Amino acid sequence: MDILRAKITAAGHYLPERRVTNLELQKTVDTSDDWIVERTGIRERRVAAKGQATSDLAVEAAKSLLKKRGIDASEIDLIIVGTVTPDMFFPSTACLVQHKIGAKKAWGFDLSGACSGFLYALQTGAQFIAAGAHKKVLVIGADVMTSIIDFEDRATCVLFGDGAGAVLLEPAEAGEVGIMDCLLRSDGSGGEHLYMPAGGSLNPPSVETVQRKMHYVHQDGKNVFRYAVRGMADISAEILEKNSIPSSDIKLYIPHQANLRIIKAAVDRMKLDESRVVVNIDRFANTTAGTIPICLSEAVEGGRIQKGDKILMASFGAGWTWGSVLMQWEA
Ligand SMILES: CC(C)(COP(=O)(O)OP(=O)(O)OC[C@H]1O[C@@H](n2cnc3c(N)ncnc32)[C@H](O)[C@@H]1OP(=O)(O)O)[C@@H](O)C(=O)NCCC(=O)NCCS
């Protein structure tokens, strides 16, 4: 059987309406706009409304994508949702999205890859296309990080925001390239540096876990920073070398948005012109699995991507998980 290639045919995104600026955070935690901007590049972030869950953000991103592609949800075969903040442990957020958008014939599942969740999900979805099993795969990255953030902890609460992005994968036509290559990695020895200790089978929720704030994101920021700088820069350079593509051939670089200094390290390493780098961390902070598809969707909407352009996406996150995807835009 021939191996098919997958291509992205549409992208959509959704950000909750409520904007929380650094100045607003400055009123409740011991931080400052200057510190946050200088150390991270973040100026504001979006925060989901009370009762607005990850599936709600994902549904809006999916609906915008379906409208752009001009297809009905009933045509979707498979839904994969990359998230670390599912609505609940079960049913999966993918099932909730499937029901809410009316994707009657689709099956689906969630995938936990933290900030690399979207790239993990993209490559997983691409395999179903490559195998000829499915023709329309909806890949979503969505997180409501503010649901697991301690807003009294200045070291984490300034870094994250809520948002969702989605893409549609379909088989590439003859002569089209689509997704060219993908490198995905994980290293569980990094787990202790960025994690949420309670709520799972190890530390089921209890009065004690709540009192000890174990249901929030815990991180050793310096170590995360150190590994992320190296990990994202290395895997971005590696995929270009492997494919013998000079960075000058990359029309747009879409890095995960955790810290502007981490992005700059990768950009410097590849000697990329800043005009070819997508940055939205100033407006949305780190939206975890939502980040890369939000960047991609914004770039398409803004006319920054044309048919035939080579796009490089890269991520680094909890796990550790990291990866890069090289593609040619065919939409
Ligand atoms: C968290 C991070 C922004 C901290 O920046 P940094 O330059 O490394 O700062 P440091 O950790 O050296 O902290 C310097 C000081 O700033 C303080 N600080 C931390 N957060 C602060 C904040 N929001 N406002 C003001 N001061 C803050 C620290 O307490 C520390 O004070 P101390 O020296 O008195 O102990 C940075 O390490 C980072 O971005 N790490 C990666 C986090 C991440 O991306 N996580 C998700 C991964 S996908």
Side-chain angles (χ1 to χ4, degrees), residues 1-9 78-80 107 109 111 117-140 167-172 177-184 313 324-327:
M1 193 169 69
D2 285 344
I3 298 288
L4 301 167
R5 268 199 163 157
K7 63 173 178 178
I8 293 177
T9 55
L78 166 64
I79 301 171
I80 309 176
W107 66 288
F109 56 91
L111 186 155
F118 175 73
L119 293 190
Y120 274 30
L122 186 70
Q123 173 67 347
T124 305
Q127 301 308 304
F128 285 94
I129 301 281
H134 292 313
K135 295 236 178 311
K136 287 188 172 53
V137 178
L138 177 60
V139 178
I140 302 174
V167 300
L168 187 68
L169 286 172
E170 297 183 61
V177 179
I179 294 177
M180 299 165 70
D181 199 9
C182 175
L183 299 176
L184 296 175
M313 303 180 277
S324 55
V325 171
L326 187 61
M327 67 176 173

